[in-house]
Amino acid sequence: MLKGQTLVFDADDTLWENNVLFERVIDGFIDWVAAPGDEARTRALLDGIEARNVAAHGYGSEVFRLSLRECLQEVRGRVATDEDDARITELLRPLTDRRVELIEGVAETLAALAPRHELLLLTKGAVEEQQWKVDASGVAHHFRSVHIVPEKDEDTYRRLTAELGLDAGRTWMIGNSPKSDILPAVRAGLKAVFIPHEHTWVMEHEELRPEDATLRLARFDELLRHF
């Protein structure tokens, strides 16, 4: 078992559920706006709109709201009405009611790791939205510091390592996203722990070779076997 490491944790879909909430919203939206038999095309249309808006505006529920609105307008061929906007707001309630559902084993595992290692939190997205998730999670006190960034790429990890004076050889990025958590961290010289989540957002998918993740685990609490 390793001792005295720096463990950097992703948040969404690593510490708490996130994308499954978006998927539930999308299911309700598709049921509402898609014509019978046209569900797959409508979903593909929404995915394309969402990719474009994320690239232009970043992440978060308000950008997602914009994507839903634009998709509705394209499918219906008209400007969204006040009634449409109200229904979108209601669909988004699971994302905006400021409740956080921790993934099984997270609270207990962080409590056990904190006395033995230095824990950091690194998450991307809209600052205010990510901060209220951190505050509502009940686990923020385990982390030396919390870092909310617009994107997680190789430069992000290099900056974090330099700013905090981290020893890259003893620093591990722990997350569910190959694209944002694993590959850029490894390219920046860090080690990585990949904990896949069945509902990882499609835009976070990227092929991982066996050598790309230093460690692969099936569940969050398996960290205790190694750290």
Side-chain angles (χ1 to χ4, degrees), residues 13-71:
D13 294 321
T14 297
L15 300 183
W16 50 71
E17 299 289 359
N18 182 65
N19 193 55
V20 68
L21 304 180
F22 282 84
E23 288 297 328
R24 290 169 188 164
V25 173
I26 290 171
D27 287 345
F29 178 79
I30 297 295
D31 287 345
W32 169 35
V33 304
D38 207 25
E39 293 85 358
R41 190 193 73 83
T42 303
R43 176 60 193 262
L45 174 64
L46 176 60
D47 287 346
I49 292 171
E50 191 174 7
R52 182 182 70 223
N53 283 335
V54 164
H57 306 295
Y59 303 93
S61 60
E62 288 308 307
V63 177
F64 186 49
R65 180 194 300 273
L66 175 64
S67 296
L68 295 177
R69 196 172 192 272
E70 290 181 0
C71 184

Side-chain angles (χ1 to χ4, degrees), residues 8-192:
V8 186
F9 289 87
D10 169 52
D12 292 340
D13 294 321
T14 297
L15 300 183
W16 50 71
E17 299 289 359
N18 182 65
N19 193 55
V20 68
L21 304 180
F22 282 84
E23 288 297 328
R24 290 169 188 164
V25 173
I26 290 171
D27 287 345
F29 178 79
I30 297 295
D31 287 345
W32 169 35
V33 304
D38 207 25
E39 293 85 358
R41 190 193 73 83
T42 303
R43 176 60 193 262
L45 174 64
L46 176 60
D47 287 346
I49 292 171
E50 191 174 7
R52 182 182 70 223
N53 283 335
V54 164
H57 306 295
Y59 303 93
S61 60
E62 288 308 307
V63 177
F64 186 49
R65 180 194 300 273
L66 175 64
S67 296
L68 295 177
R69 196 172 192 272
E70 290 181 0
C71 184
L72 178 143
Q73 292 180 152
E74 188 157 339
V75 170
R76 296 281 172 85
R78 59 169 174 77
V79 175
T81 65
D82 290 344
E83 290 78 9
D84 293 330
D85 288 335
R87 186 155 183 179
I88 288 172
T89 295
E90 187 60 31
L91 284 171
L92 287 170
R93 198 167 301 282
L95 301 176
T96 58
D97 66 2
R98 304 211 166 194
R99 288 184 290 178
V100 169
E101 179 186 345
L102 291 181
I103 289 173
E104 184 178 0
V106 164
E108 301 83 357
T109 301
L110 291 178
L113 291 172
R116 304 201 295 262
H117 305 281
E118 176 183 58
L119 309 188
L120 306 175
L121 182 61
L122 177 64
T123 181
K124 70 178 181 180
V127 173
E128 195 239 350
E129 188 167 341
Q130 293 305 101
Q131 186 62 56
W132 71 247
K133 292 181 189 178
V134 172
D135 294 341
S137 71
V139 297
H141 62 286
H142 293 305
F143 300 102
R144 167 190 161 189
S145 55
V146 174
H147 305 267
I148 302 172
V149 296
E151 191 56 85
K152 287 157 69 176
D153 53 22
E154 184 177 339
D155 286 343
T156 303
Y157 291 99
R158 292 191 183 281
R159 284 195 302 271
L160 185 72
T161 301
E163 289 171 4
L164 299 182
L166 303 179
D167 179 350
R170 298 172 67 85
T171 300
W172 300 71
M173 181 62 202
I174 300 166
N176 69 293
S177 167
K179 183 178 179 181
S180 294
D181 300 329
I182 306 305
L183 293 173
V186 170
R187 291 176 187 135
L190 307 184
K191 300 179 184 298

